[in-house]
């Protein structure tokens, strides 16, 4: 198997995992509050039918905000990887496959093509928590609640989402190699409706 085929297969597997996670979680009620009230009395919760304008942080096990259903048409992510591997790249949101449905959000970002492609998938689901997976020519990785990643949101309204996430000291992988680098990942993302 060539490195290009291995990288393509890995990208396909990671995309399928993200889609399966999304499909398996789409039957829930959404939300993430611990009291389930949704009466607007807890920070980050809104009364039925309202859309929050500022979402609470969802760090390392915190609750995710309620995110309105709908597709995303545009957006970007600035991604920085440091540690044993380095990567600094801007990616564009892929419309048509990036959306929120039944309390689960999946955002696909990509730059480049073929073996030079870098892709980032962000999955936001209340029960599973926030998570991401990254495929690039430099490193493959993923993380979420269990790996101590912190997700914060600066915008969550009818126009879309903006936020950041960071993960420190998570495991990476190099396609076609036996190397398992330790990396730090930081990203600033937007997804506009």
């Amino acid at each position: 198997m060539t490195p290009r085929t291995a990288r393509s297969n890995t990208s396909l597997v990671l995309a399928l995992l993200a889609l399966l996670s999304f499909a398996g979680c789409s039957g829930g009620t959404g939300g993430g509050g611990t009291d389930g009230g949704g009466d607007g009395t807890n920070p980050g919760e809104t009364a039925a039918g309202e859309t929050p304008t500022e979402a609470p942080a969802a760090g390392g096990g915190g609750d995710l905000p309620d995110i309105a259903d709908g597709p995303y048409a545009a957006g970007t992510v600035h991604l920085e990887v440091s540690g044993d591997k380095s990567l600094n790249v801007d990616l564009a949101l892929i419309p048509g496959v990036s959306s929120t449905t039944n309390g689960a959000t999946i955002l696909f970002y990509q730059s480049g093509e073929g073996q030079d492609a870098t892709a980032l998938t962000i999955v936001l689901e209340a029960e599973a928590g926030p998570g991401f997976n990254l495929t690039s020519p430099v490193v493959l990785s993923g993380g979420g609640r269990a790996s101590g990643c912190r997700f914060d949101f600066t915008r969550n309204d009818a126009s879309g989402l903006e936020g950041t996430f960071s993960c420190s000291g998570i495991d990476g992988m190099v396609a076609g190699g036996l190397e398992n680098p330790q990396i730090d990942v930081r990203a600033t993302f937007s997804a506009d409706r």
Side-chain angles (χ1 to χ4, degrees):
M1 181 181 308
T2 67
R4 181 178 181 171
T5 303
R7 205 171 291 123
S8 295
N9 288 343
T10 302
S11 296
L12 179 60
V13 167
L14 290 174
L16 287 173
L17 287 174
L19 286 172
L20 289 173
S21 171
F22 176 72
C25 300
S26 65
T29 59
T34 55
D35 74 349
D39 60 4
T41 59
N42 289 333
E45 287 192 9
T46 60
E50 293 180 16
T51 302
T53 56
E54 186 166 322
D63 293 333
L64 285 171
D66 288 330
I67 301 171
D69 284 357
Y72 298 96
T76 60
V77 65
H78 178 74
L79 178 69
E80 297 176 11
V81 174
S82 58
D84 292 341
K85 295 291 179 182
S86 294
L87 179 66
N88 189 337
V89 65
D90 293 312
L91 309 171
L93 182 118
I94 306 301
V97 293
S98 299
S99 68
T100 298
T101 305
N102 295 325
T105 300
I106 189 162
L107 305 173
F108 287 103
Y109 299 88
Q110 184 173 334
S111 176
E113 294 181 16
Q115 69 182 17
D116 296 325
T118 296
L120 177 73
T121 304
I122 299 173
V123 178
L124 308 169
E125 199 280 324
E127 288 187 40
F132 80 95
N133 62 51
L134 165 67
T135 60
S136 78
V138 176
V139 67
L140 310 171
S141 191
R145 178 182 293 173
S147 53
C149 297
R150 179 169 180 81
F151 284 72
D152 294 292
F153 298 88
T154 55
R155 177 173 58 108
N156 176 18
D157 59 26
S159 68
L161 297 170
E162 285 183 0
T164 62
F165 74 83
S166 62
C167 308
S168 296
I170 62 172
D171 292 328
M173 192 170 97
V174 176
L178 300 175
E179 191 177 351
N180 292 101
Q182 292 288 298
I183 60 172
D184 300 326
V185 179
R186 291 191 181 118
T188 300
F189 62 91
S190 67
D192 301 316
R193 298 195 190 265

